[in-house]
Amino acid sequence: MFTILVFLSLVYGLEGADVVLSCSLIEEGGGMGGMMGGAMFKRTPSTLVFRDLVGNDGLSPELVTPYNPPETPNADDLIFELTCKCTEPKIPNADLLLHADCNEQEVVCEISRYVPHGAELDSLPAHFIGSVQLEGGGISLTLVLQTLHSETTQSDTQPLMQSKLNLPLSQSGTLQTEVVFVVFSRVPSIVAPIGGDVLLDCGFRQKNSVPGQDVALEWRIQHRGNGRKILDMKARETEADVGQDLFVDREGTSTEADLLVRDGNASLTLGRLKVTDEGTYICTVGSGEFQTQQIVQLHITQPPRITLSEEKLTFQDTTPQKLSCHCHRYYPLDVQVEWFSQASSEEEPVSLSKESSLSSHRQHSDGTYSLSSHLTLRPNKNPPGTVITCRVSHPALETPRDATLTVDKPEPRERSFVKLAMMFSQI
């Protein structure tokens, strides 16, 4: 999804903290190209105000000031005012948005029209989708917003109509809404090792859900232009138990129907991970007239195993010797190999990377890669006591990993002759 961030600001309301996000209203037709070069979209600057998103307990009294809308309402302004005083549906991890500015995290916000199942495009109340993503780790929200009736006045004055949406504005010039459905992920990007298990976090909340109605859950994976459904579930709570219709297209994949229906937990467990499990996972939840989705990125990793071609290195004469550093079965492809030497008389190591060469990447049947780096060493530049280091960096390693050996002293010629004689005597 193509997104634009303008700014994030925080203010504090009388009953809680208000969060004000700069967003883009997305409409089809004109403007910039859409996702994957599809339909054209028009972007209009807008504002999303979360009223009383977080309680103000413990906040300094000097900071408790409400969000102030423009003094003069303007029909061209797009200000979506979202009331968060209600207990359901509760927006999870809302405090992360409150502290995003202090943590120097960017917030991406987009709003677009939404038509619930069975509704007409221009029917009232109107509905919108609000996509809010905290970049660099944190919460990702997809909110279904429903417009509220504007305040009425004692006069017969018609309310101000928003010029683009043709919807009535409040007396303060905002479009008042409430959350009626939200699908979220508290971990929208996760890294997991090959062979391990992972939980892809996804959940939903709904206002005034009907007891016993079906909850539909679908998980799909998209990777390098290919996609497939890996789980499809329809679950419902009965008087005695939770019933379900389930389709699974990957061994070791599971989700809990009772947690889905009772707790809104749509998370997916993947067991015995492989390289082919890496990709973009789409969690789609539908309940009643609403359906929306969240995206979770799964990155698969495996650190390289590092070995040197020689256990020890000795120069018997002036002949150069080749040393290889092997990086075995790592994923993803990105790997960096560096060489260093440090003689006993030197205080700092000297880089030899420019003198090395790399083999091509070799891909194994499990999707992992191997690679070798080769270095030719000369005795006049690497006297006994010199430490040779191969240093490997890879995304699966928190810090680079070293493999080292020390150049040994050559054996005396007499000892070499005795060893040779003993070998012949044993033949």
Side-chain angles (χ1 to χ4, degrees), residues 329-388:
R329 294 186 176 274
Y330 53 86
Y331 191 86
L333 186 64
D334 306 320
V335 67
Q336 181 181 7
V337 183
E338 299 174 282
W339 288 95
F340 299 92
S341 70
Q342 185 172 3
S344 55
S345 60
E346 295 173 335
E347 295 183 359
E348 297 291 335
V350 177
S351 174
L352 302 178
S353 300
K354 292 184 178 180
E355 302 174 23
S356 65
S357 61
L358 287 174
S359 70
S360 59
H361 288 276
R362 302 179 297 279
Q363 187 170 20
H364 304 282
S365 59
D366 63 356
T368 60
Y369 298 92
S370 293
L371 172 143
S372 297
S373 178
H374 310 292
L375 180 67
T376 300
L377 298 170
R378 292 172 173 77
N380 61 328
K381 294 184 178 180
N382 299 278
T386 300
V387 177
I388 307 298

CSV table of all heavy atoms in Angstrom, one decimal, residues 329-388:
chain,number,residue,atom,x,y,z
A,329,ARG,N,25.0,-22.6,4.5
A,329,ARG,CA,23.6,-22.7,4.7
A,329,ARG,C,23.0,-21.6,5.5
A,329,ARG,O,22.6,-21.7,6.6
A,329,ARG,CB,23.2,-24.1,5.4
A,329,ARG,CG,23.5,-25.3,4.4
A,329,ARG,CD,23.0,-26.6,5.0
A,329,ARG,NE,23.2,-27.7,4.1
A,329,ARG,CZ,22.4,-28.0,3.1
A,329,ARG,NH1,21.2,-27.3,3.0
A,329,ARG,NH2,22.7,-29.0,2.3
A,330,TYR,N,23.0,-20.4,4.9
A,330,TYR,CA,22.4,-19.2,5.5
A,330,TYR,C,21.2,-18.7,4.7
A,330,TYR,O,21.0,-19.1,3.6
A,330,TYR,CB,23.5,-18.1,5.7
A,330,TYR,CG,24.2,-17.8,4.4
A,330,TYR,CD1,23.6,-16.9,3.5
A,330,TYR,CD2,25.4,-18.4,4.0
A,330,TYR,CE1,24.2,-16.6,2.2
A,330,TYR,CE2,26.0,-18.1,2.8
A,330,TYR,CZ,25.4,-17.2,1.9
A,330,TYR,OH,26.0,-17.0,0.7
A,331,TYR,N,20.4,-17.9,5.4
A,331,TYR,CA,19.3,-17.2,4.7
A,331,TYR,C,19.0,-16.0,5.5
A,331,TYR,O,19.0,-16.1,6.8
A,331,TYR,CB,18.1,-18.2,4.6
A,331,TYR,CG,17.0,-17.6,3.7
A,331,TYR,CD1,17.0,-17.9,2.4
A,331,TYR,CD2,16.0,-16.9,4.2
A,331,TYR,CE1,16.0,-17.4,1.5
A,331,TYR,CE2,15.0,-16.3,3.4
A,331,TYR,CZ,15.0,-16.6,2.1
A,331,TYR,OH,14.1,-16.1,1.2
A,332,PRO,N,18.7,-14.9,4.9
A,332,PRO,CA,18.6,-14.6,3.4
A,332,PRO,C,19.9,-14.5,2.7
A,332,PRO,O,21.0,-14.8,3.4
A,332,PRO,CB,17.8,-13.3,3.3
A,332,PRO,CG,18.2,-12.6,4.6
A,332,PRO,CD,18.3,-13.6,5.6
A,333,LEU,N,19.9,-14.1,1.5
A,333,LEU,CA,21.1,-14.2,0.6
A,333,LEU,C,22.2,-13.2,1.1
A,333,LEU,O,23.4,-13.5,0.9
A,333,LEU,CB,20.7,-13.8,-0.8
A,333,LEU,CG,21.7,-14.0,-1.9
A,333,LEU,CD1,22.2,-15.4,-2.0
A,333,LEU,CD2,21.2,-13.5,-3.2
A,334,ASP,N,21.8,-12.1,1.7
A,334,ASP,CA,22.8,-11.0,2.0
A,334,ASP,C,23.8,-11.6,3.0
A,334,ASP,O,23.5,-11.9,4.2
A,334,ASP,CB,22.1,-9.8,2.6
A,334,ASP,CG,21.0,-9.3,1.7
A,334,ASP,OD1,21.1,-9.3,0.5
A,334,ASP,OD2,19.9,-9.0,2.3
A,335,VAL,N,25.1,-11.6,2.6
A,335,VAL,CA,26.2,-12.0,3.4
A,335,VAL,C,27.4,-11.2,3.0
A,335,VAL,O,27.6,-10.9,1.8
A,335,VAL,CB,26.5,-13.5,3.4
A,335,VAL,CG1,27.0,-13.9,2.0
A,335,VAL,CG2,27.4,-13.9,4.5
A,336,GLN,N,28.2,-10.8,4.0
A,336,GLN,CA,29.4,-10.0,3.7
A,336,GLN,C,30.6,-10.7,4.4
A,336,GLN,O,30.5,-11.1,5.6
A,336,GLN,CB,29.3,-8.6,4.2
A,336,GLN,CG,30.5,-7.7,4.0
A,336,GLN,CD,30.4,-6.3,4.5
A,336,GLN,OE1,29.4,-6.0,5.2
A,336,GLN,NE2,31.4,-5.5,4.2
A,337,VAL,N,31.7,-10.9,3.6
A,337,VAL,CA,32.9,-11.6,4.1
A,337,VAL,C,34.0,-10.6,4.0
A,337,VAL,O,34.3,-10.0,3.0
A,337,VAL,CB,33.2,-12.9,3.3
A,337,VAL,CG1,34.4,-13.6,3.9
A,337,VAL,CG2,32.0,-13.8,3.3
A,338,GLU,N,34.7,-10.4,5.2
A,338,GLU,CA,35.9,-9.6,5.2
A,338,GLU,C,37.1,-10.3,5.8
A,338,GLU,O,36.9,-11.3,6.6
A,338,GLU,CB,35.6,-8.4,6.1
A,338,GLU,CG,34.5,-7.5,5.7
A,338,GLU,CD,34.2,-6.4,6.7
A,338,GLU,OE1,33.5,-6.7,7.8
A,338,GLU,OE2,34.6,-5.2,6.5
A,339,TRP,N,38.3,-9.9,5.3
A,339,TRP,CA,39.5,-10.6,5.8
A,339,TRP,C,40.4,-9.5,6.5
A,339,TRP,O,40.5,-8.4,6.0
A,339,TRP,CB,40.3,-11.2,4.6
A,339,TRP,CG,39.7,-12.4,4.0
A,339,TRP,CD1,38.9,-12.5,2.9
A,339,TRP,CD2,39.9,-13.8,4.4
A,339,TRP,NE1,38.5,-13.8,2.6
A,339,TRP,CE2,39.2,-14.6,3.5
A,339,TRP,CE3,40.7,-14.3,5.4
A,339,TRP,CZ2,39.2,-16.0,3.6
A,339,TRP,CZ3,40.6,-15.7,5.6
A,339,TRP,CH2,39.9,-16.5,4.7
A,340,PHE,N,41.1,-10.0,7.5
A,340,PHE,CA,42.0,-9.1,8.2
A,340,PHE,C,43.3,-9.9,8.6
A,340,PHE,O,43.2,-11.1,8.9
A,340,PHE,CB,41.4,-8.5,9.5
A,340,PHE,CG,40.2,-7.7,9.3
A,340,PHE,CD1,38.9,-8.2,9.3
A,340,PHE,CD2,40.3,-6.3,9.0
A,340,PHE,CE1,37.8,-7.5,9.0
A,340,PHE,CE2,39.2,-5.5,8.7
A,340,PHE,CZ,37.9,-6.1,8.8
A,341,SER,N,44.4,-9.2,8.7
A,341,SER,CA,45.6,-9.8,9.3
A,341,SER,C,46.2,-8.9,10.3
A,341,SER,O,46.1,-7.6,10.2
A,341,SER,CB,46.6,-10.1,8.2
A,341,SER,OG,47.2,-8.9,7.7
A,342,GLN,N,46.8,-9.4,11.3
A,342,GLN,CA,47.4,-8.6,12.4
A,342,GLN,C,48.7,-9.3,12.8
A,342,GLN,O,48.6,-10.4,13.5
A,342,GLN,CB,46.5,-8.3,13.5
A,342,GLN,CG,47.1,-7.4,14.5
A,342,GLN,CD,46.0,-7.0,15.6
A,342,GLN,OE1,44.9,-7.4,15.6
A,342,GLN,NE2,46.5,-6.1,16.5
A,343,ALA,N,49.8,-8.8,12.5
A,343,ALA,CA,51.1,-9.3,12.9
A,343,ALA,C,51.2,-9.0,14.4
A,343,ALA,O,50.6,-8.1,14.9
A,343,ALA,CB,52.2,-8.8,12.1
A,344,SER,N,52.1,-9.8,15.1
A,344,SER,CA,52.3,-9.5,16.5
A,344,SER,C,52.9,-8.2,16.8
A,344,SER,O,52.8,-7.6,17.9
A,344,SER,CB,53.3,-10.6,17.0
A,344,SER,OG,54.5,-10.7,16.3
A,345,SER,N,53.6,-7.6,15.8
A,345,SER,CA,54.2,-6.2,15.9
A,345,SER,C,53.2,-5.1,15.6
A,345,SER,O,53.5,-3.9,15.8
A,345,SER,CB,55.4,-6.1,15.0
A,345,SER,OG,55.0,-6.3,13.7
A,346,GLU,N,52.0,-5.4,15.2
A,346,GLU,CA,51.0,-4.4,14.8
A,346,GLU,C,50.0,-4.2,15.8
A,346,GLU,O,49.5,-5.2,16.5
A,346,GLU,CB,50.4,-4.8,13.4
A,346,GLU,CG,51.3,-4.8,12.3
A,346,GLU,CD,50.7,-5.4,11.0
A,346,GLU,OE1,49.7,-6.1,11.1
A,346,GLU,OE2,51.2,-5.0,9.9
A,347,GLU,N,49.6,-2.9,16.0
A,347,GLU,CA,48.5,-2.6,17.0
A,347,GLU,C,47.1,-2.8,16.5
A,347,GLU,O,46.2,-3.1,17.2
A,347,GLU,CB,48.7,-1.2,17.5
A,347,GLU,CG,50.0,-1.0,18.3
A,347,GLU,CD,50.1,0.4,18.8
A,347,GLU,OE1,49.2,1.2,18.6
A,347,GLU,OE2,51.1,0.7,19.5
A,348,GLU,N,46.9,-2.6,15.2
A,348,GLU,CA,45.6,-2.7,14.6
A,348,GLU,C,45.6,-3.7,13.4
A,348,GLU,O,46.7,-3.8,12.7
A,348,GLU,CB,45.2,-1.3,14.1
A,348,GLU,CG,45.0,-0.3,15.1
A,348,GLU,CD,43.8,-0.5,16.0
A,348,GLU,OE1,42.9,-1.2,15.6
A,348,GLU,OE2,43.8,-0.1,17.2
A,349,PRO,N,44.5,-4.4,13.2
A,349,PRO,CA,44.5,-5.3,12.1
A,349,PRO,C,44.5,-4.6,10.7
A,349,PRO,O,44.0,-3.4,10.7
A,349,PRO,CB,43.2,-6.1,12.3
A,349,PRO,CG,42.3,-5.2,13.1
A,349,PRO,CD,43.3,-4.4,14.0
A,350,VAL,N,45.0,-5.2,9.7
A,350,VAL,CA,45.0,-4.7,8.4
A,350,VAL,C,44.0,-5.4,7.5
A,350,VAL,O,43.9,-6.6,7.5
A,350,VAL,CB,46.4,-4.8,7.8
A,350,VAL,CG1,46.4,-4.3,6.3
A,350,VAL,CG2,47.4,-4.1,8.6
A,351,SER,N,43.2,-4.7,6.7
A,351,SER,CA,42.2,-5.3,5.9
A,351,SER,C,42.8,-5.9,4.7
A,351,SER,O,43.7,-5.3,4.0
A,351,SER,CB,41.2,-4.2,5.4
A,351,SER,OG,40.3,-4.8,4.5
A,352,LEU,N,42.4,-7.1,4.4
A,352,LEU,CA,42.9,-7.9,3.2
A,352,LEU,C,41.7,-8.2,2.2
A,352,LEU,O,41.9,-8.9,1.3
A,352,LEU,CB,43.5,-9.2,3.6
A,352,LEU,CG,44.7,-9.1,4.6
A,352,LEU,CD1,45.2,-10.6,4.9
A,352,LEU,CD2,45.9,-8.3,4.0
A,353,SER,N,40.6,-7.5,2.5
A,353,SER,CA,39.4,-7.9,1.7
A,353,SER,C,39.6,-7.6,0.2
A,353,SER,O,39.0,-8.4,-0.6
A,353,SER,CB,38.2,-7.1,2.2
A,353,SER,OG,38.0,-7.4,3.6
A,354,LYS,N,40.3,-6.6,-0.2
A,354,LYS,CA,40.5,-6.3,-1.6
A,354,LYS,C,41.3,-7.3,-2.3
A,354,LYS,O,41.2,-7.4,-3.5
A,354,LYS,CB,41.1,-4.9,-1.8
A,354,LYS,CG,40.2,-3.7,-1.3
A,354,LYS,CD,40.9,-2.4,-1.6
A,354,LYS,CE,40.0,-1.2,-1.3
A,354,LYS,NZ,40.6,0.1,-1.5
A,355,GLU,N,42.0,-8.1,-1.6
A,355,GLU,CA,42.9,-9.2,-2.2
A,355,GLU,C,42.1,-10.5,-2.3
A,355,GLU,O,42.7,-11.5,-2.8
A,355,GLU,CB,44.2,-9.3,-1.4
A,355,GLU,CG,45.0,-8.0,-1.2
A,355,GLU,CD,46.2,-8.2,-0.3
A,355,GLU,OE1,46.6,-9.4,-0.1
A,355,GLU,OE2,46.6,-7.2,0.3
A,356,SER,N,40.9,-10.5,-1.8
A,356,SER,CA,40.2,-11.8,-1.7
A,356,SER,C,39.2,-11.9,-2.9
A,356,SER,O,39.0,-11.0,-3.7
A,356,SER,CB,39.3,-11.9,-0.4
A,356,SER,OG,38.3,-10.9,-0.4
A,357,SER,N,38.7,-13.1,-3.1
A,357,SER,CA,37.7,-13.4,-4.2
A,357,SER,C,36.6,-14.2,-3.6
A,357,SER,O,36.7,-14.9,-2.7
A,357,SER,CB,38.4,-14.1,-5.4
A,357,SER,OG,38.9,-15.4,-4.9
A,358,LEU,N,35.4,-14.1,-4.3
A,358,LEU,CA,34.2,-14.8,-3.8
A,358,LEU,C,33.8,-15.8,-4.9
A,358,LEU,O,33.9,-15.5,-6.1
A,358,LEU,CB,33.1,-13.8,-3.6
A,358,LEU,CG,33.1,-12.9,-2.3
A,358,LEU,CD1,32.0,-11.9,-2.4
A,358,LEU,CD2,33.1,-13.7,-1.1
A,359,SER,N,33.3,-16.9,-4.4
A,359,SER,CA,32.6,-17.9,-5.3
A,359,SER,C,31.2,-17.4,-5.5
A,359,SER,O,30.7,-16.4,-4.9
A,359,SER,CB,32.6,-19.3,-4.6
A,359,SER,OG,31.7,-19.2,-3.5
A,360,SER,N,30.5,-18.0,-6.4
A,360,SER,CA,29.1,-17.7,-6.6
A,360,SER,C,28.3,-18.3,-5.5
A,360,SER,O,28.7,-19.3,-4.8
A,360,SER,CB,28.6,-18.2,-8.0
A,360,SER,OG,28.8,-19.6,-8.0
A,361,HIS,N,27.1,-17.8,-5.2
A,361,HIS,CA,26.2,-18.4,-4.2
A,361,HIS,C,25.7,-19.7,-4.7
A,361,HIS,O,25.4,-19.9,-5.9
A,361,HIS,CB,25.0,-17.5,-4.0
A,361,HIS,CG,25.4,-16.2,-3.3
A,361,HIS,ND1,25.4,-16.1,-1.9
A,361,HIS,CD2,25.6,-14.9,-3.7
A,361,HIS,CE1,25.8,-14.9,-1.5
A,361,HIS,NE2,25.9,-14.2,-2.6
A,362,ARG,N,25.7,-20.7,-3.8
A,362,ARG,CA,25.2,-22.0,-4.1
A,362,ARG,C,23.9,-22.2,-3.3
A,362,ARG,O,23.9,-22.0,-2.1
A,362,ARG,CB,26.2,-23.1,-3.7
A,362,ARG,CG,27.5,-22.9,-4.4
A,362,ARG,CD,28.5,-24.0,-4.0
A,362,ARG,NE,28.8,-24.0,-2.6
A,362,ARG,CZ,29.7,-23.1,-2.1
A,362,ARG,NH1,30.4,-22.3,-2.8
A,362,ARG,NH2,30.0,-23.2,-0.8
A,363,GLN,N,22.8,-22.4,-4.0
A,363,GLN,CA,21.5,-22.6,-3.3
A,363,GLN,C,21.2,-24.1,-3.1
A,363,GLN,O,21.3,-24.9,-4.0
A,363,GLN,CB,20.4,-21.9,-4.1
A,363,GLN,CG,19.0,-21.9,-3.3
A,363,GLN,CD,18.0,-21.1,-4.0
A,363,GLN,OE1,18.1,-20.8,-5.1
A,363,GLN,NE2,17.0,-20.7,-3.2
A,364,HIS,N,20.8,-24.4,-1.9
A,364,HIS,CA,20.5,-25.8,-1.6
A,364,HIS,C,19.0,-26.1,-1.7
A,364,HIS,O,18.2,-25.1,-1.9
A,364,HIS,CB,20.9,-26.1,-0.1
A,364,HIS,CG,22.4,-25.8,0.1
A,364,HIS,ND1,23.4,-26.7,-0.3
A,364,HIS,CD2,23.0,-24.8,0.7
A,364,HIS,CE1,24.6,-26.2,0.0
A,364,HIS,NE2,24.4,-25.0,0.7
A,365,SER,N,18.6,-27.3,-1.6
A,365,SER,CA,17.2,-27.7,-1.9
A,365,SER,C,16.3,-27.1,-0.8
A,365,SER,O,15.1,-27.0,-1.1
A,365,SER,CB,17.1,-29.3,-1.9
A,365,SER,OG,17.6,-29.8,-0.6
A,366,ASP,N,16.8,-26.8,0.4
A,366,ASP,CA,15.9,-26.2,1.4
A,366,ASP,C,15.8,-24.7,1.3
A,366,ASP,O,15.2,-24.0,2.1
A,366,ASP,CB,16.4,-26.6,2.8
A,366,ASP,CG,17.8,-26.0,3.1
A,366,ASP,OD1,18.5,-25.4,2.2
A,366,ASP,OD2,18.3,-26.2,4.2
A,367,GLY,N,16.5,-24.1,0.2
A,367,GLY,CA,16.4,-22.7,0.0
A,367,GLY,C,17.5,-21.9,0.6
A,367,GLY,O,17.6,-20.7,0.3
A,368,THR,N,18.3,-22.5,1.4
A,368,THR,CA,19.5,-21.8,2.0
A,368,THR,C,20.6,-21.7,1.0
A,368,THR,O,20.6,-22.3,0.0
A,368,THR,CB,20.0,-22.5,3.3
A,368,THR,OG1,20.4,-23.8,3.0
A,368,THR,CG2,18.8,-22.5,4.3
A,369,TYR,N,21.6,-20.8,1.4
A,369,TYR,CA,22.7,-20.6,0.5
A,369,TYR,C,24.0,-20.9,1.2
A,369,TYR,O,24.1,-20.9,2.4
A,369,TYR,CB,22.7,-19.1,0.1
A,369,TYR,CG,21.5,-18.7,-0.7
A,369,TYR,CD1,20.4,-18.1,0.0
A,369,TYR,CD2,21.4,-18.8,-2.1
A,369,TYR,CE1,19.3,-17.7,-0.7
A,369,TYR,CE2,20.3,-18.4,-2.8
A,369,TYR,CZ,19.2,-17.8,-2.1
A,369,TYR,OH,18.1,-17.5,-2.8
A,370,SER,N,25.1,-21.1,0.3
A,370,SER,CA,26.4,-21.2,0.8
A,370,SER,C,27.3,-20.4,-0.1
A,370,SER,O,27.0,-20.2,-1.3
A,370,SER,CB,26.9,-22.7,0.8
A,370,SER,OG,26.2,-23.4,1.8
A,371,LEU,N,28.5,-20.0,0.4
A,371,LEU,CA,29.4,-19.2,-0.4
A,371,LEU,C,30.8,-19.4,0.3
A,371,LEU,O,30.9,-19.6,1.5
A,371,LEU,CB,29.0,-17.7,-0.3
A,371,LEU,CG,29.9,-16.7,-0.9
A,371,LEU,CD1,29.0,-15.6,-1.6
A,371,LEU,CD2,30.7,-16.0,0.2
A,372,SER,N,31.8,-19.2,-0.6
A,372,SER,CA,33.2,-19.3,-0.1
A,372,SER,C,34.0,-18.0,-0.5
A,372,SER,O,33.7,-17.5,-1.6
A,372,SER,CB,33.9,-20.5,-0.6
A,372,SER,OG,33.2,-21.7,-0.2
A,373,SER,N,34.8,-17.6,0.3
A,373,SER,CA,35.7,-16.5,0.0
A,373,SER,C,37.2,-17.0,0.1
A,373,SER,O,37.5,-17.8,1.0
A,373,SER,CB,35.6,-15.3,1.0
A,373,SER,OG,36.5,-14.3,0.7
A,374,HIS,N,38.0,-16.7,-0.9
A,374,HIS,CA,39.3,-17.2,-1.0
A,374,HIS,C,40.4,-16.1,-0.9
A,374,HIS,O,40.2,-15.0,-1.4
A,374,HIS,CB,39.5,-17.9,-2.3
A,374,HIS,CG,38.4,-18.9,-2.6
A,374,HIS,ND1,38.3,-20.1,-1.9
A,374,HIS,CD2,37.4,-18.9,-3.6
A,374,HIS,CE1,37.2,-20.7,-2.4
A,374,HIS,NE2,36.7,-20.0,-3.4
A,375,LEU,N,41.5,-16.4,-0.2
A,375,LEU,CA,42.5,-15.4,0.0
A,375,LEU,C,43.9,-16.1,-0.2
A,375,LEU,O,44.1,-17.1,0.4
A,375,LEU,CB,42.4,-14.8,1.4
A,375,LEU,CG,43.4,-13.7,1.8
A,375,LEU,CD1,43.2,-12.5,1.0
A,375,LEU,CD2,43.3,-13.4,3.3
A,376,THR,N,44.7,-15.5,-1.0
A,376,THR,CA,46.1,-16.0,-1.1
A,376,THR,C,47.0,-15.2,-0.2
A,376,THR,O,47.1,-14.0,-0.2
A,376,THR,CB,46.6,-15.8,-2.6
A,376,THR,OG1,45.7,-16.5,-3.5
A,376,THR,CG2,48.0,-16.3,-2.8
A,377,LEU,N,47.8,-16.0,0.6
A,377,LEU,CA,48.6,-15.4,1.6
A,377,LEU,C,50.1,-15.7,1.2
A,377,LEU,O,50.4,-16.8,0.8
A,377,LEU,CB,48.4,-16.0,3.0
A,377,LEU,CG,46.9,-15.7,3.5
A,377,LEU,CD1,46.7,-16.6,4.8
A,377,LEU,CD2,46.8,-14.3,3.9
A,378,ARG,N,50.9,-14.7,1.5
A,378,ARG,CA,52.4,-14.8,1.1
A,378,ARG,C,53.2,-14.7,2.4
A,378,ARG,O,52.9,-13.9,3.3
A,378,ARG,CB,52.8,-13.7,0.1
A,378,ARG,CG,52.1,-13.9,-1.2
A,378,ARG,CD,52.3,-12.7,-2.2
A,378,ARG,NE,51.8,-13.0,-3.5
A,378,ARG,CZ,50.6,-13.0,-3.9
A,378,ARG,NH1,49.6,-12.7,-3.0
A,378,ARG,NH2,50.2,-13.3,-5.1
A,379,PRO,N,54.2,-15.5,2.5
A,379,PRO,CA,55.0,-15.5,3.7
A,379,PRO,C,55.7,-14.2,4.1
A,379,PRO,O,55.9,-13.9,5.3
A,379,PRO,CB,56.0,-16.7,3.5
A,379,PRO,CG,56.1,-16.8,2.0
A,379,PRO,CD,54.7,-16.4,1.5
A,380,ASN,N,56.1,-13.5,3.1
A,380,ASN,CA,56.8,-12.2,3.4
A,380,ASN,C,55.9,-11.2,4.0
A,380,ASN,O,56.4,-10.2,4.7
A,380,ASN,CB,57.5,-11.7,2.1
A,380,ASN,CG,56.5,-11.3,1.0
A,380,ASN,OD1,55.5,-12.0,0.9
A,380,ASN,ND2,56.8,-10.3,0.2
A,381,LYS,N,54.6,-11.3,3.8
A,381,LYS,CA,53.7,-10.4,4.4
A,381,LYS,C,53.0,-10.9,5.6
A,381,LYS,O,52.3,-10.2,6.3
A,381,LYS,CB,52.6,-10.0,3.4
A,381,LYS,CG,53.2,-9.2,2.2
A,381,LYS,CD,52.1,-8.7,1.3
A,381,LYS,CE,52.6,-7.9,0.1
A,381,LYS,NZ,51.5,-7.4,-0.8
A,382,ASN,N,53.1,-12.2,5.9
A,382,ASN,CA,52.4,-12.8,7.0
A,382,ASN,C,53.4,-13.7,7.8
A,382,ASN,O,53.4,-14.9,7.7
A,382,ASN,CB,51.3,-13.7,6.5
A,382,ASN,CG,50.2,-12.9,5.8
A,382,ASN,OD1,49.4,-12.2,6.4
A,382,ASN,ND2,50.3,-12.9,4.4
A,383,PRO,N,54.3,-13.1,8.6
A,383,PRO,CA,55.3,-13.8,9.3
A,383,PRO,C,54.6,-14.6,10.4
A,383,PRO,O,53.4,-14.4,10.8
A,383,PRO,CB,56.2,-12.7,9.9
A,383,PRO,CG,55.3,-11.5,10.0
A,383,PRO,CD,54.4,-11.6,8.8
A,384,PRO,N,55.3,-15.6,11.0
A,384,PRO,CA,54.8,-16.4,12.1
A,384,PRO,C,54.3,-15.5,13.2
A,384,PRO,O,54.8,-14.4,13.5
A,384,PRO,CB,56.0,-17.2,12.6
A,384,PRO,CG,56.8,-17.3,11.4
A,384,PRO,CD,56.7,-16.0,10.6
A,385,GLY,N,53.1,-15.9,13.8
A,385,GLY,CA,52.5,-15.1,14.8
A,385,GLY,C,51.4,-14.2,14.3
A,385,GLY,O,50.6,-13.6,15.1
A,386,THR,N,51.3,-14.1,12.9
A,386,THR,CA,50.2,-13.3,12.3
A,386,THR,C,48.9,-13.9,12.5
A,386,THR,O,48.7,-15.1,12.2
A,386,THR,CB,50.5,-13.0,10.9
A,386,THR,OG1,51.8,-12.3,10.7
A,386,THR,CG2,49.4,-12.2,10.2
A,387,VAL,N,47.9,-13.2,12.9
A,387,VAL,CA,46.6,-13.7,13.1
A,387,VAL,C,45.7,-13.3,11.9
A,387,VAL,O,45.6,-12.2,11.5
A,387,VAL,CB,45.9,-13.1,14.4
A,387,VAL,CG1,44.4,-13.6,14.5
A,387,VAL,CG2,46.7,-13.5,15.6
A,388,ILE,N,45.2,-14.4,11.2
A,388,ILE,CA,44.4,-14.2,10.0
A,388,ILE,C,42.9,-14.4,10.5
A,388,ILE,O,42.6,-15.4,11.1
A,388,ILE,CB,44.7,-15.2,8.9
A,388,ILE,CG1,46.2,-15.1,8.6
A,388,ILE,CG2,43.9,-14.9,7.7
A,388,ILE,CD1,46.7,-13.8,8.1
